[in-house]
Amino acid sequence: MVRTRIAPSPTGQDLHIGNLYTALINWVWARKNKGQFIVRIEDTDRKRYVEGAEKRILQTLKNYGLDYDESVDKGGEYGPYRQSERLDVYKKYIDKLISQGKAYYCFCSPERLTKLREEQRKQGKMPRYDKYCLHHFSKEEARRKVERGESYVVRLNVPENKEISFNDMIRGRITINTNAIDDQVLVKSDGYPTYQLAVVIDDHLMKISHVIRAEEWISSTPKQVLLYEALGWKLPTYAHVPILRNPDKSKLSKRKNPVWASWYLSEGYLPEAVLNYLALMGWAHPEEKEIFSLTEFIDVFNLKDIKPVGPVFDIVKLTWMNGEYIRRMKDEVLSKKLFDFFKGKYSLNLIRQSVPLVKTRIKTLKEYDKFCSFFLKAPQSYEKDLSHSLDILRKVKAKLELVGTWKADKITNEVVSIAREEKIGVGKVFMTLRVSITGKKITPPISESMEILGKDESLRRIDDALKFYQA
Ligand code: GLU
Protein backbone atom coordinates (compact mmCIF):
# COMPACT_ATOMS: atom_id res chain seq x y z
CA MET A 1 0.00 0.00 0.00
CA VAL A 2 1.40 3.37 -0.99
CA ARG A 3 0.97 6.01 1.69
CA THR A 4 2.53 9.42 1.20
CA ARG A 5 2.47 12.51 3.34
CA ILE A 6 3.41 16.09 3.61
CA ALA A 7 4.38 17.32 7.03
CA PRO A 8 4.12 21.10 7.00
CA SER A 9 5.15 23.12 10.02
CA PRO A 10 2.81 25.97 10.90
CA THR A 11 5.66 28.45 11.06
CA GLY A 12 4.89 30.72 8.12
CA GLN A 13 2.08 32.74 6.70
CA ASP A 14 0.73 29.96 4.51
CA LEU A 15 1.85 27.04 2.38
CA HIS A 16 5.07 27.92 0.55
CA ILE A 17 4.91 27.38 -3.21
CA GLY A 18 7.78 24.89 -2.81
CA ASN A 19 5.67 22.96 -0.31
CA LEU A 20 2.78 23.03 -2.74
CA TYR A 21 5.10 21.40 -5.26
CA THR A 22 6.08 18.71 -2.73
CA ALA A 23 2.40 18.26 -1.91
CA LEU A 24 1.57 17.78 -5.59
CA ILE A 25 4.20 15.07 -6.01
CA ASN A 26 3.06 13.27 -2.86
CA TRP A 27 -0.54 13.57 -3.98
CA VAL A 28 0.06 12.32 -7.51
CA TRP A 29 2.12 9.38 -6.29
CA ALA A 30 -0.61 8.34 -3.86
CA ARG A 31 -3.36 8.74 -6.47
CA LYS A 32 -1.40 6.91 -9.12
CA ASN A 33 -0.88 3.94 -6.83
CA LYS A 34 -4.41 4.04 -5.43
CA GLY A 35 -2.89 4.81 -2.06
CA GLN A 36 -3.43 7.50 0.53
CA PHE A 37 -2.15 11.02 0.90
CA ILE A 38 -1.79 12.28 4.45
CA VAL A 39 -1.25 15.75 5.88
CA ARG A 40 0.48 15.75 9.23
CA ILE A 41 1.05 18.98 11.09
CA GLU A 42 4.55 19.22 12.59
CA ASP A 43 4.08 21.82 15.28
CA THR A 44 6.74 20.87 17.80
CA ASP A 45 8.78 24.01 17.23
CA ARG A 46 6.82 26.16 19.66
CA LYS A 47 9.12 29.16 19.26
CA ARG A 48 8.33 29.50 15.57
CA TYR A 49 4.67 28.56 15.86
CA VAL A 50 2.39 30.93 13.96
CA GLU A 51 -1.22 31.17 15.07
CA GLY A 52 -3.66 30.36 12.26
CA ALA A 53 -1.01 28.98 9.90
CA GLU A 54 -2.31 25.41 10.14
CA LYS A 55 -5.79 26.47 9.06
CA ARG A 56 -4.44 28.48 6.16
CA ILE A 57 -2.21 25.63 4.99
CA LEU A 58 -5.13 23.19 4.90
CA GLN A 59 -7.38 25.73 3.20
CA THR A 60 -4.77 26.41 0.53
CA LEU A 61 -4.43 22.68 -0.20
CA LYS A 62 -8.19 22.49 -0.58
CA ASN A 63 -8.29 25.56 -2.80
CA TYR A 64 -5.79 23.89 -5.09
CA GLY A 65 -7.86 20.73 -5.11
CA LEU A 66 -5.17 18.53 -3.57
CA ASP A 67 -7.55 16.40 -1.56
CA TYR A 68 -6.05 14.45 1.31
CA ASP A 69 -7.29 11.28 2.93
CA GLU A 70 -6.18 11.76 6.53
CA SER A 71 -5.37 14.83 8.57
CA VAL A 72 -6.25 16.93 11.59
CA ASP A 73 -9.58 18.03 10.13
CA LYS A 74 -10.40 14.69 8.48
CA GLY A 75 -9.34 12.16 11.05
CA GLY A 76 -8.05 8.74 10.07
CA GLU A 77 -6.87 5.53 11.60
CA TYR A 78 -3.44 6.78 12.58
CA GLY A 79 -4.22 10.03 14.39
CA PRO A 80 -3.80 12.35 16.05
CA TYR A 81 -2.25 14.09 13.05
CA ARG A 82 -0.91 17.06 14.99
CA GLN A 83 2.43 16.31 16.63
CA SER A 84 1.78 18.43 19.71
CA GLU A 85 -1.01 15.98 20.55
CA ARG A 86 1.27 12.97 20.28
CA LEU A 87 3.74 13.70 23.09
CA ASP A 88 2.76 10.57 25.01
CA VAL A 89 3.34 8.51 21.86
CA TYR A 90 6.94 9.69 21.60
CA LYS A 91 7.72 9.13 25.28
CA LYS A 92 7.75 5.34 25.01
CA TYR A 93 10.30 5.40 22.19
CA ILE A 94 12.52 7.97 23.88
CA ASP A 95 12.75 5.72 26.94
CA LYS A 96 13.56 2.77 24.73
CA LEU A 97 16.34 4.64 22.91
CA ILE A 98 17.87 5.80 26.20
CA SER A 99 17.80 2.39 27.84
CA GLN A 100 19.52 0.90 24.79
CA GLY A 101 22.21 3.56 24.85
CA LYS A 102 21.16 4.88 21.42
CA ALA A 103 20.24 8.18 23.00
CA TYR A 104 21.35 9.90 26.20
CA TYR A 105 20.50 12.76 28.52
CA CYS A 106 22.57 15.89 28.19
CA PHE A 107 22.72 18.57 30.88
CA CYS A 108 25.23 20.94 29.30
CA SER A 109 24.45 24.60 29.73
CA PRO A 110 23.98 26.81 26.66
CA GLU A 111 27.16 28.63 27.77
CA ARG A 112 29.24 25.46 27.66
CA LEU A 113 27.85 24.56 24.25
CA THR A 114 28.62 27.98 22.85
CA LYS A 115 32.16 27.85 24.21
CA LEU A 116 32.67 24.36 22.81
CA ARG A 117 31.48 25.44 19.39
CA GLU A 118 33.72 28.49 19.41
CA GLU A 119 36.77 26.43 20.30
CA GLN A 120 36.02 23.86 17.62
CA ARG A 121 35.57 26.60 15.07
CA LYS A 122 38.88 28.16 16.05
CA GLN A 123 40.55 24.80 15.44
CA GLY A 124 38.91 24.67 12.04
CA LYS A 125 36.66 21.77 13.05
CA MET A 126 32.99 21.30 12.34
CA PRO A 127 31.11 22.26 15.52
CA ARG A 128 29.81 19.07 17.14
CA TYR A 129 28.75 18.05 20.59
CA ASP A 130 31.62 16.22 22.33
CA LYS A 131 29.48 13.56 24.10
CA TYR A 132 30.56 15.00 27.43
CA CYS A 133 27.39 13.90 29.27
CA LEU A 134 27.42 10.45 27.70
CA HIS A 135 30.90 9.84 29.08
CA HIS A 136 30.53 11.59 32.44
CA PHE A 137 27.25 10.28 33.77
CA SER A 138 26.14 6.69 34.03
CA LYS A 139 22.57 5.98 32.94
CA GLU A 140 21.52 5.81 36.61
CA GLU A 141 23.21 9.07 37.51
CA ALA A 142 21.63 10.77 34.55
CA ARG A 143 18.22 9.45 35.48
CA ARG A 144 18.63 10.71 39.05
CA LYS A 145 19.53 14.17 37.76
CA VAL A 146 16.41 14.16 35.61
CA GLU A 147 14.29 13.06 38.57
CA ARG A 148 15.77 15.88 40.66
CA GLY A 149 14.34 18.26 38.12
CA GLU A 150 17.54 19.32 36.36
CA SER A 151 17.08 20.80 32.94
CA TYR A 152 18.10 18.43 30.16
CA VAL A 153 17.84 17.53 26.51
CA VAL A 154 18.02 14.06 24.97
CA ARG A 155 20.60 13.51 22.26
CA LEU A 156 21.06 10.86 19.62
CA ASN A 157 24.22 8.83 20.22
CA VAL A 158 25.70 8.99 16.73
CA PRO A 159 28.42 6.36 16.24
CA GLU A 160 31.82 7.56 15.05
CA ASN A 161 33.03 7.08 11.51
CA LYS A 162 30.20 4.93 10.22
CA GLU A 163 28.84 5.07 6.68
CA ILE A 164 25.10 5.59 6.56
CA SER A 165 23.45 4.73 3.26
CA PHE A 166 19.98 4.94 1.91
CA ASN A 167 18.34 4.72 -1.49
CA ASP A 168 16.67 7.70 -3.03
CA MET A 169 14.28 7.10 -5.92
CA ILE A 170 15.41 10.31 -7.59
CA ARG A 171 19.08 10.41 -6.65
CA GLY A 172 20.11 6.79 -6.28
CA ARG A 173 22.23 5.64 -3.38
CA ILE A 174 23.32 8.33 -0.95
CA THR A 175 26.06 7.65 1.60
CA ILE A 176 27.08 10.00 4.37
CA ASN A 177 29.74 9.42 7.02
CA THR A 178 28.59 9.90 10.62
CA ASN A 179 31.64 12.06 11.29
CA ALA A 180 29.69 14.78 9.54
CA ILE A 181 26.71 14.33 11.85
CA ASP A 182 26.21 15.92 15.24
CA ASP A 183 24.61 14.19 18.23
CA GLN A 184 21.25 15.58 17.28
CA VAL A 185 18.92 16.80 20.02
CA LEU A 186 15.87 14.52 20.02
CA VAL A 187 14.01 16.03 22.96
CA LYS A 188 14.29 19.73 23.75
CA SER A 189 14.44 21.25 27.22
CA ASP A 190 10.76 22.16 26.91
CA GLY A 191 9.99 18.44 26.71
CA TYR A 192 8.94 18.58 23.05
CA PRO A 193 10.55 16.17 20.64
CA THR A 194 12.49 17.69 17.78
CA TYR A 195 11.52 17.21 14.18
CA GLN A 196 14.17 14.50 13.69
CA LEU A 197 12.65 12.23 16.28
CA ALA A 198 8.97 12.91 15.74
CA VAL A 199 9.20 12.55 11.98
CA VAL A 200 10.62 9.03 12.25
CA ILE A 201 8.16 7.81 14.84
CA ASP A 202 5.19 9.29 13.01
CA ASP A 203 6.20 8.14 9.55
CA HIS A 204 6.58 4.65 10.95
CA LEU A 205 3.39 4.57 13.00
CA MET A 206 1.40 6.19 10.19
CA LYS A 207 2.71 3.50 7.84
CA ILE A 208 4.18 6.00 5.39
CA SER A 209 5.65 4.01 2.50
CA HIS A 210 7.26 6.88 0.59
CA VAL A 211 8.87 9.89 2.20
CA ILE A 212 8.80 12.44 -0.61
CA ARG A 213 10.19 15.78 0.45
CA ALA A 214 12.46 18.63 -0.62
CA GLU A 215 16.18 18.09 -1.08
CA GLU A 216 16.98 20.33 1.88
CA TRP A 217 16.09 17.36 4.10
CA ILE A 218 18.73 15.04 2.61
CA SER A 219 21.24 15.96 5.30
CA SER A 220 18.67 15.01 7.97
CA THR A 221 18.03 11.62 6.48
CA PRO A 222 21.13 9.81 7.90
CA LYS A 223 20.09 10.85 11.42
CA GLN A 224 16.65 9.48 10.72
CA VAL A 225 18.12 6.30 9.28
CA LEU A 226 20.05 5.83 12.54
CA LEU A 227 16.79 6.18 14.45
CA TYR A 228 15.04 3.63 12.25
CA GLU A 229 17.91 1.25 12.88
CA ALA A 230 17.89 1.91 16.61
CA LEU A 231 14.17 1.29 16.81
CA GLY A 232 14.41 -1.79 14.62
CA TRP A 233 12.10 -0.40 11.94
CA LYS A 234 12.14 -0.79 8.19
CA LEU A 235 13.12 2.33 6.23
CA PRO A 236 10.53 4.00 4.06
CA THR A 237 11.39 4.66 0.42
CA TYR A 238 12.95 8.11 0.08
CA ALA A 239 12.61 10.58 -2.76
CA HIS A 240 14.08 14.05 -2.34
CA VAL A 241 12.56 16.38 -4.90
CA PRO A 242 14.60 19.34 -6.14
CA ILE A 243 14.21 22.78 -4.63
CA LEU A 244 12.65 25.34 -6.94
CA ARG A 245 14.87 28.16 -8.10
CA ASN A 246 14.45 31.73 -9.25
CA PRO A 247 15.31 32.37 -12.90
CA ASP A 248 18.78 33.47 -11.76
CA LYS A 249 19.15 30.01 -10.14
CA SER A 250 19.13 31.31 -6.58
CA LYS A 251 16.86 29.53 -4.12
CA LEU A 252 13.25 30.60 -4.51
CA SER A 253 12.87 33.55 -2.22
CA LYS A 254 10.42 36.26 -1.41
CA ARG A 255 12.55 38.92 -3.01
CA LYS A 256 12.41 37.42 -6.51
CA ASN A 257 9.13 35.52 -6.65
CA PRO A 258 6.02 35.59 -4.53
CA VAL A 259 6.38 32.48 -2.36
CA TRP A 260 2.99 31.91 -0.79
CA ALA A 261 0.81 29.45 -2.65
CA SER A 262 -2.37 31.39 -1.87
CA TRP A 263 -0.92 34.56 -3.42
CA TYR A 264 -1.20 32.99 -6.88
CA LEU A 265 -4.89 32.27 -6.38
CA SER A 266 -5.60 35.74 -5.12
CA GLU A 267 -3.85 37.14 -8.21
CA GLY A 268 -6.18 35.18 -10.45
CA TYR A 269 -4.04 32.20 -11.37
CA LEU A 270 -6.05 29.02 -11.83
CA PRO A 271 -5.20 26.15 -9.48
CA GLU A 272 -5.04 23.68 -12.36
CA ALA A 273 -2.62 25.91 -14.29
CA VAL A 274 -0.34 26.38 -11.29
CA LEU A 275 -0.31 22.62 -10.63
CA ASN A 276 0.32 21.90 -14.31
CA TYR A 277 3.26 24.30 -14.22
CA LEU A 278 4.60 22.76 -11.00
CA ALA A 279 4.28 19.28 -12.50
CA LEU A 280 6.88 20.34 -15.06
CA MET A 281 9.45 21.23 -12.43
CA GLY A 282 12.16 18.63 -12.87
CA TRP A 283 9.90 16.37 -14.89
CA ALA A 284 8.79 16.24 -18.52
CA HIS A 285 5.71 14.70 -20.08
CA PRO A 286 6.74 11.63 -22.11
CA GLU A 287 5.27 13.27 -25.23
CA GLU A 288 6.80 16.62 -24.29
CA LYS A 289 3.35 18.09 -23.76
CA GLU A 290 3.31 21.28 -21.78
CA ILE A 291 -0.37 21.40 -21.02
CA PHE A 292 -2.15 18.40 -19.57
CA SER A 293 -4.77 17.64 -16.97
CA LEU A 294 -4.13 16.27 -13.50
CA THR A 295 -5.78 13.02 -14.56
CA GLU A 296 -3.27 12.69 -17.36
CA PHE A 297 -0.47 13.61 -14.97
CA ILE A 298 -1.53 10.76 -12.67
CA ASP A 299 -1.44 8.42 -15.68
CA VAL A 300 1.97 9.22 -17.06
CA PHE A 301 3.92 10.33 -13.99
CA ASN A 302 6.68 8.28 -12.41
CA LEU A 303 8.60 9.42 -9.36
CA LYS A 304 11.87 8.05 -10.63
CA ASP A 305 11.67 10.29 -13.71
CA ILE A 306 12.10 13.48 -11.68
CA LYS A 307 15.45 15.09 -12.39
CA PRO A 308 17.38 16.20 -9.33
CA VAL A 309 18.70 19.46 -10.81
CA GLY A 310 17.14 22.66 -9.52
CA PRO A 311 14.21 23.55 -11.78
CA VAL A 312 13.45 27.19 -12.46
CA PHE A 313 10.14 28.58 -11.31
CA ASP A 314 9.48 31.40 -13.73
CA ILE A 315 6.39 33.44 -13.10
CA VAL A 316 6.45 34.72 -16.68
CA LYS A 317 6.13 31.16 -17.98
CA LEU A 318 3.46 30.37 -15.42
CA THR A 319 1.51 33.46 -16.49
CA TRP A 320 1.71 32.35 -20.10
CA MET A 321 0.41 28.93 -19.15
CA ASN A 322 -2.40 30.43 -17.12
CA GLY A 323 -3.42 32.45 -20.18
CA GLU A 324 -3.50 29.24 -22.22
CA TYR A 325 -5.81 27.67 -19.64
CA ILE A 326 -8.09 30.70 -19.82
CA ARG A 327 -8.21 30.56 -23.61
CA ARG A 328 -9.07 26.86 -23.59
CA MET A 329 -11.87 27.28 -21.08
CA LYS A 330 -15.51 27.35 -22.14
CA ASP A 331 -16.92 30.89 -22.01
CA GLU A 332 -19.53 29.94 -19.48
CA VAL A 333 -17.02 28.27 -17.16
CA LEU A 334 -14.71 31.24 -17.39
CA SER A 335 -17.61 33.63 -16.74
CA LYS A 336 -18.54 31.86 -13.54
CA LYS A 337 -14.92 31.80 -12.38
CA LEU A 338 -14.62 35.52 -13.02
CA PHE A 339 -17.89 36.17 -11.22
CA ASP A 340 -16.63 34.28 -8.17
CA PHE A 341 -13.20 35.85 -8.36
CA PHE A 342 -14.60 39.39 -8.30
CA LYS A 343 -17.13 38.47 -5.62
CA GLY A 344 -20.04 40.19 -7.29
CA LYS A 345 -18.24 43.35 -8.40
CA TYR A 346 -19.30 42.54 -11.97
CA SER A 347 -22.71 41.09 -12.75
CA LEU A 348 -22.71 37.64 -14.33
CA ASN A 349 -24.60 39.14 -17.23
CA LEU A 350 -21.93 41.74 -17.97
CA ILE A 351 -19.20 39.12 -17.60
CA ARG A 352 -20.97 36.78 -20.01
CA GLN A 353 -21.24 39.54 -22.61
CA SER A 354 -17.66 40.72 -22.25
CA VAL A 355 -15.86 37.39 -21.90
CA PRO A 356 -15.70 36.72 -25.65
CA LEU A 357 -14.04 40.12 -26.09
CA VAL A 358 -11.30 39.65 -23.52
CA LYS A 359 -10.73 35.92 -23.32
CA THR A 360 -7.71 35.98 -25.63
CA ARG A 361 -6.26 39.04 -23.94
CA ILE A 362 -6.22 38.17 -20.28
CA LYS A 363 -3.63 35.89 -18.73
CA THR A 364 -5.03 35.92 -15.21
CA LEU A 365 -8.55 36.35 -13.87
CA LYS A 366 -7.45 39.54 -12.20
CA GLU A 367 -6.49 41.09 -15.54
CA TYR A 368 -10.15 41.10 -16.52
CA ASP A 369 -10.49 44.12 -14.28
CA LYS A 370 -7.80 46.00 -16.17
CA PHE A 371 -9.72 45.57 -19.42
CA CYS A 372 -13.29 45.81 -18.19
CA SER A 373 -13.46 48.24 -15.28
CA PHE A 374 -14.65 50.95 -17.70
CA PHE A 375 -17.93 49.07 -18.07
CA LEU A 376 -18.69 49.93 -14.46
CA LYS A 377 -17.34 53.43 -14.33
CA ALA A 378 -17.25 56.28 -16.86
CA PRO A 379 -13.78 57.75 -17.33
CA GLN A 380 -12.64 60.50 -14.98
CA SER A 381 -9.57 61.24 -17.07
CA TYR A 382 -8.26 60.33 -20.52
CA GLU A 383 -5.02 58.53 -21.33
CA LYS A 384 -4.76 60.46 -24.58
CA ASP A 385 -5.35 64.16 -25.11
CA LEU A 386 -8.54 64.57 -27.14
CA SER A 387 -8.47 68.35 -27.40
CA HIS A 388 -7.50 68.23 -31.07
CA SER A 389 -10.11 65.62 -31.96
CA LEU A 390 -13.24 67.35 -30.76
CA ASP A 391 -14.54 68.05 -34.26
CA ILE A 392 -14.37 64.47 -35.30
CA LEU A 393 -15.85 63.35 -31.98
CA ARG A 394 -18.81 65.66 -32.56
CA LYS A 395 -19.33 64.17 -36.02
CA VAL A 396 -19.15 60.62 -34.68
CA LYS A 397 -21.68 61.47 -32.04
CA ALA A 398 -24.08 63.01 -34.56
CA LYS A 399 -23.91 59.90 -36.77
CA LEU A 400 -24.25 57.45 -33.90
CA GLU A 401 -27.31 59.25 -32.60
CA LEU A 402 -29.07 58.18 -35.78
CA VAL A 403 -28.22 54.50 -35.43
CA GLY A 404 -31.41 52.48 -34.90
CA THR A 405 -30.45 49.02 -33.71
CA TRP A 406 -27.41 49.49 -31.51
CA LYS A 407 -25.12 46.77 -32.78
CA ALA A 408 -21.34 46.59 -33.04
CA ASP A 409 -21.27 46.24 -36.85
CA LYS A 410 -23.54 49.29 -37.26
CA ILE A 411 -21.25 51.33 -35.00
CA THR A 412 -18.19 50.17 -36.95
CA ASN A 413 -19.82 51.07 -40.29
CA GLU A 414 -20.56 54.60 -39.11
CA VAL A 415 -17.04 55.13 -37.84
CA VAL A 416 -15.56 53.84 -41.08
CA SER A 417 -17.77 56.06 -43.20
CA ILE A 418 -16.86 59.16 -41.18
CA ALA A 419 -13.18 58.36 -41.53
CA ARG A 420 -13.61 58.10 -45.31
CA GLU A 421 -15.60 61.33 -45.58
CA GLU A 422 -13.15 63.24 -43.46
CA LYS A 423 -10.12 61.53 -45.03
CA ILE A 424 -8.71 60.50 -41.67
CA GLY A 425 -7.29 57.10 -40.82
CA VAL A 426 -9.93 54.67 -39.54
CA GLY A 427 -7.62 53.67 -36.69
CA LYS A 428 -7.32 57.25 -35.57
CA VAL A 429 -11.08 57.76 -35.40
CA PHE A 430 -11.48 54.51 -33.49
CA MET A 431 -8.77 55.56 -31.07
CA THR A 432 -10.48 58.88 -30.40
CA LEU A 433 -13.77 57.10 -29.83
CA ARG A 434 -12.14 54.46 -27.64
CA VAL A 435 -10.48 57.00 -25.38
CA SER A 436 -13.67 59.04 -25.08
CA ILE A 437 -15.70 55.99 -24.06
CA THR A 438 -13.22 54.21 -21.82
CA GLY A 439 -10.55 56.75 -20.92
CA LYS A 440 -7.99 54.16 -22.04
CA LYS A 441 -5.86 53.45 -25.08
CA ILE A 442 -5.97 49.68 -24.69
CA THR A 443 -9.39 48.09 -24.35
CA PRO A 444 -11.45 45.25 -25.76
CA PRO A 445 -12.84 45.91 -29.30
CA ILE A 446 -14.58 49.24 -28.96
CA SER A 447 -17.70 48.74 -31.09
CA GLU A 448 -18.55 45.53 -29.26
CA SER A 449 -17.88 47.23 -25.96
CA MET A 450 -20.21 50.07 -26.91
CA GLU A 451 -22.88 47.58 -27.84
CA ILE A 452 -22.63 46.18 -24.32
CA LEU A 453 -22.63 49.64 -22.75
CA GLY A 454 -25.76 50.57 -24.69
CA LYS A 455 -26.56 53.57 -26.83
CA ASP A 456 -27.50 56.03 -24.09
CA GLU A 457 -24.45 55.35 -21.97
CA SER A 458 -22.11 55.43 -24.97
CA LEU A 459 -23.44 58.77 -26.24
CA ARG A 460 -23.39 60.21 -22.74
CA ARG A 461 -19.70 59.31 -22.45
CA ILE A 462 -18.89 61.00 -25.77
CA ASP A 463 -20.71 64.05 -24.49
CA ASP A 464 -18.78 63.97 -21.24
CA ALA A 465 -15.50 63.88 -23.15
CA LEU A 466 -16.57 66.86 -25.26
CA LYS A 467 -17.53 68.80 -22.16
CA PHE A 468 -14.30 67.81 -20.41
CA TYR A 469 -12.21 69.39 -23.16
CA GLN A 470 -14.47 72.33 -23.90
CA ALA A 471 -14.55 73.47 -20.28
N1 GLU B 1 8.16 19.59 9.06
C1 GLU B 1 9.02 19.51 7.92
C2 GLU B 1 8.73 20.73 7.05
O1 GLU B 1 8.46 21.74 7.60
C3 GLU B 1 8.79 18.21 7.20
C4 GLU B 1 9.99 17.67 6.49
C5 GLU B 1 9.75 16.26 6.02
O2 GLU B 1 8.95 16.12 5.08
O3 GLU B 1 10.29 15.34 6.59
O4 GLU B 1 8.75 20.73 5.86
Side-chain angles (χ1 to χ4, degrees):
M1 174 56 93
V2 167
R3 286 172 59 82
T4 66
R5 53 64 168 181
I6 53 163
S9 296
T11 51
Q13 204 173 308
D14 176 31
L15 198 65
H16 190 281
I17 190 81
N19 289 141
L20 181 67
Y21 169 59
T22 309
L24 171 68
I25 303 302
N26 275 279
W27 177 87
V28 69
W29 193 239
R31 295 292 168 259
K32 182 173 186 77
N33 293 287
K34 311 251 174 304
Q36 280 108 36
F37 170 52
I38 291 119
V39 179
R40 180 176 67 234
I41 301 294
E42 300 205 328
D43 59 347
T44 58
D45 190 343
R46 305 313 285 179
K47 286 202 201 89
R48 292 176 59 220
Y49 183 80
V50 174
E51 197 66 47
E54 172 188 306
K55 227 173 134 191
R56 287 193 291 272
I57 288 169
L58 296 175
Q59 190 56 50
T60 300
L61 284 169
K62 288 188 191 120
N63 292 345
Y64 273 96
L66 293 181
D67 55 312
Y68 43 85
D69 304 293
E70 297 166 29
S71 189
V72 287
D73 59 347
K74 271 214 125 170
E77 243 180 275
Y78 303 92
Y81 293 91
R82 200 180 277 119
Q83 288 187 327
S84 58
E85 291 166 16
R86 300 174 61 80
L87 301 185
D88 53 327
V89 176
Y90 307 126
K91 178 129 199 355
K92 187 166 97 198
Y93 299 103
I94 297 162
D95 292 345
K96 188 171 167 192
L97 289 166
I98 293 174
S99 67
Q100 291 176 345
K102 307 279 183 174
Y104 60 93
Y105 291 109
C106 171
F107 306 94
C108 288
S109 64
E111 292 74 31
R112 177 175 188 268
L113 295 175
T114 314
K115 214 167 135 226
L116 175 67
R117 272 195 293 269
E118 271 167 15
E119 276 164 18
Q120 288 171 327
R121 251 189 227 114
K122 255 188 239 151
Q123 294 166 18
K125 289 193 201 147
M126 188 194 92
R128 280 170 75 193
Y129 183 61
D130 58 358
K131 294 187 192 276
Y132 176 87
C133 289
L134 176 69
H135 299 315
H136 279 76
F137 307 109
S138 69
K139 272 187 208 156
E140 292 66 38
E141 267 176 284
R143 198 166 292 281
R144 274 199 298 279
K145 280 164 88 67
V146 169
E147 275 157 18
R148 277 203 304 270
E150 280 189 39
S151 164
Y152 68 90
V153 299
V154 176
R155 287 181 184 274
L156 177 64
N157 185 8
V158 177
E160 310 253 331
N161 201 20
K162 193 179 162 205
E163 305 270 272
I164 306 287
S165 287
F166 59 94
N167 276 327
D168 185 297
M169 273 184 85
I170 297 172
R171 290 153 207 272
R173 193 137 193 94
I174 297 178
T175 304
I176 296 178
N177 189 287
T178 52
N179 287 349
I181 303 170
D182 200 4
D183 277 9
Q184 176 72 46
V185 172
L186 301 178
V187 181
K188 291 172 282 182
S189 55
D190 63 4
Y192 275 78
T194 56
Y195 155 72
Q196 305 289 356
L197 178 71
V199 74
V200 168
I201 296 175
D202 288 347
D203 283 343
H204 173 75
L205 295 180
M206 294 181 183
K207 297 205 163 55
I208 301 303
S209 63
H210 292 72
V211 168
I212 304 168
R213 60 186 172 196
E215 69 179 285
E216 61 191 288
W217 301 101
I218 292 179
S219 60
S220 292
T221 310
K223 299 173 197 167
Q224 296 171 15
V225 170
L226 282 172
L227 283 168
Y228 277 99
E229 281 175 4
L231 292 163
W233 293 338
K234 191 175 157 281
L235 285 185
T237 300
Y238 287 103
H240 289 92
V241 298
I243 286 183
L244 312 186
R245 311 234 154 226
N246 293 306
D248 66 2
K249 294 279 176 182
S250 59
K251 200 175 143 183
L252 204 64
S253 69
K254 277 181 239 175
R255 274 170 293 120
K256 310 249 169 68
N257 263 312
V259 294
W260 304 118
S262 55
W263 181 88
Y264 292 88
L265 300 180
S266 62
E267 284 299 300
Y269 289 84
L270 303 165
E272 53 275 35
V274 177
L275 294 181
N276 185 160
Y277 183 62
L278 287 177
L280 290 166
M281 297 286 107
W283 179 85
H285 189 286
E287 289 158 37
E288 311 263 300
K289 279 194 205 170
E290 281 197 296
I291 296 189
F292 45 83
S293 68
L294 279 176
T295 327
E296 186 171 349
F297 185 41
I298 294 173
D299 264 1
V300 298
F301 176 73
N302 195 331
L303 199 47
K304 67 173 176 38
D305 295 336
I306 291 187
K307 300 273 173 301
V309 280
V312 170
F313 182 90
D314 183 358
I315 192 160
V316 177
K317 184 87 202 280
L318 168 63
T319 309
W320 166 82
M321 186 172 276
N322 202 64
E324 284 299 306
Y325 266 80
I326 287 180
R327 267 187 284 293
R328 289 168 192 220
M329 213 175 265
K330 290 215 166 64
D331 284 5
E332 183 56 18
V333 176
L334 178 56
S335 299
K336 293 222 169 91
K337 281 202 195 292
L338 284 165
F339 181 73
D340 290 342
F341 183 80
F342 287 104
K343 302 190 172 80
K345 176 176 175 187
Y346 293 93
S347 73
L348 189 54
N349 189 30
L350 172 59
I351 295 176
R352 279 184 178 133
Q353 287 177 289
S354 53
V355 147
L357 308 185
V358 295
K359 196 175 170 184
T360 57
R361 294 159 198 250
I362 58 173
K363 293 197 188 74
T364 63
L365 299 179
K366 195 175 177 179
E367 270 186 347
Y368 173 85
D369 204 35
K370 200 171 84 189
F371 285 105
C372 293
S373 60
F374 76 87
F375 281 117
L376 301 182
K377 205 164 177 250
Q380 310 290 304
S381 62
Y382 300 91
E383 279 182 6
K384 187 180 179 317
D385 180 14
L386 298 179
S387 54
H388 303 293
S389 320
L390 299 183
D391 258 357
I392 195 76
L393 206 49
R394 266 184 225 111
K395 285 188 180 127
V396 172
K397 191 190 152 210
K399 280 250 181 183
L400 292 181
E401 268 168 353
L402 303 175
V403 171
T405 17
W406 190 252
K407 287 277 173 210
D409 54 346
K410 293 257 160 50
I411 299 167
T412 302
N413 288 345
E414 295 304 334
V415 174
V416 171
S417 77
I418 291 175
R420 290 225 178 96
E421 282 162 24
E422 301 294 320
K423 300 197 175 34
I424 319 178
V426 177
K428 228 177 144 191
V429 184
F430 269 120
M431 182 51 90
T432 301
L433 182 59
R434 178 189 314 279
V435 173
S436 73
I437 298 283
T438 68
K440 296 180 179 173
K441 289 198 277 190
I442 298 171
T443 69
I446 192 60
S447 304
E448 282 77 0
S449 300
M450 288 167 72
E451 181 182 325
I452 295 173
L453 273 177
K455 186 173 177 179
D456 289 351
E457 179 65 15
S458 301
L459 293 177
R460 189 174 318 127
R461 288 189 182 192
I462 298 175
D463 245 352
D464 286 349
L466 288 169
K467 279 188 206 133
F468 182 92
Y469 284 97
Q470 279 157 358

